[in-house]
Amino acid sequence: MPEDVEMNDSAQPAPVAAPAAADAPAPAPALSTLQHLKEIASVVEAGSLTKEVRRISRAVRLTVALRRRLAAPDVAAFLAFALPASSEAFTRLSPLLPKEDGSEMDVDAAAPAAQVSIKHGLPEIEIYCYLLVLIFLIDHKKYDEAKACANSSIARLKNLNRRTVDVLASRLYSYYSYVHELTNSLAEIRGTLLGLHRMATLHHDELGQVVLRP
């Protein structure tokens, strides 16, 4: 009778090796700040064309989340993308931005993202550009330029009556008051604020009425 043979542990089948890390798909490259702004603009465009206020609100939230990454070259490049060079908004907004070295722009040249295009001439896009520039100028303590931007944005809003603009307008009203407070000129705009409140009431702009309530 043959003797029992004890199997050594070394005789057991070797475990299957885990796939090499190199086989895993590489993570997608992070979007540049400019590309983020372009995609936010596409959200604004969609809200404008479909008359969906919630899309405009989402664009504002995305912008607030991005504001710490904004640099002057990014904002300047976005204006060139979003506004016709011959437009009044482009002419007013571009000179307000500080001139910086274009090399500072947050662009991922190694892995360019898909191209985004938008329809020019939409009031929502134009007002979004005013809001973006105003946020940037306030964050960078360019208060005189921010005041000029705020005044221009209010002058433009007086000619608009669109519910999809109301979300952007309510933010501009807040920053308009804030930047005049920062520059000790709040008393200069009290009459304007009252006029804006009357306009918001006539236009059934509920968000504006709340922000501008005396």
Side-chain angles (χ1 to χ4, degrees), residues 52-125:
E52 292 183 85
V53 174
R54 63 182 180 83
R55 291 180 183 268
I56 309 297
S57 297
R58 178 170 179 264
V60 172
R61 291 194 302 271
L62 291 171
T63 304
V64 171
L66 190 66
R67 65 190 297 173
R68 293 185 182 278
R69 290 177 52 185
L70 294 176
D74 298 311
V75 179
F78 176 75
L79 293 182
F81 161 79
L83 299 171
S86 59
S87 67
E88 182 179 352
F90 184 85
T91 302
R92 287 181 178 276
L93 292 174
S94 293
L96 298 176
L97 297 172
K99 302 298 182 289
E100 297 182 12
D101 183 358
S103 63
E104 295 181 14
M105 190 184 301
D106 179 14
V107 174
D108 186 357
Q115 292 297 313
V116 177
S117 61
I118 59 171
K119 181 179 180 180
H120 286 163
L122 295 175
E124 290 81 3
I125 293 291

Side-chain angles (χ1 to χ4, degrees), residues 3-4 8 21-22 24 32 36 41-42 58 74 86 88-89 93 111 119 126 165 175 186 190 197 206 214:
E3 297 179 1
D4 292 335
N8 192 293
S32 68
H36 272 298
S42 70
R58 178 170 179 264
D74 298 311
S86 59
E88 182 179 352
L93 292 174
K119 181 179 180 180
E126 180 186 347
V165 169
Y175 287 122
L186 195 56
R190 294 196 188 282
H197 185 266
E206 296 180 359

Side-chain angles (χ1 to χ4, degrees), residues 139-194:
D139 285 349
H140 287 77
K141 296 180 171 50
K142 303 289 184 180
Y143 297 138
D144 290 337
E145 293 86 347
K147 184 176 175 181
C149 178
N151 291 342
S152 295
S153 71
I154 295 303
R156 181 68 180 97
L157 284 171
K158 289 179 179 179
N159 298 317
L160 294 173
N161 182 15
R162 293 162 68 99
R163 300 291 71 79
T164 43
V165 169
D166 291 349
V167 177
L168 301 168
S170 65
R171 290 297 183 115
L172 283 169
Y173 296 148
S174 295
Y175 287 122
Y176 174 64
S177 298
Y178 180 56
V179 76
H180 278 82
E181 181 180 346
L182 290 172
T183 55
N184 298 313
S185 56
L186 195 56
E188 299 175 9
I189 63 167
R190 294 196 188 282
T192 301
L193 292 174
L194 289 173

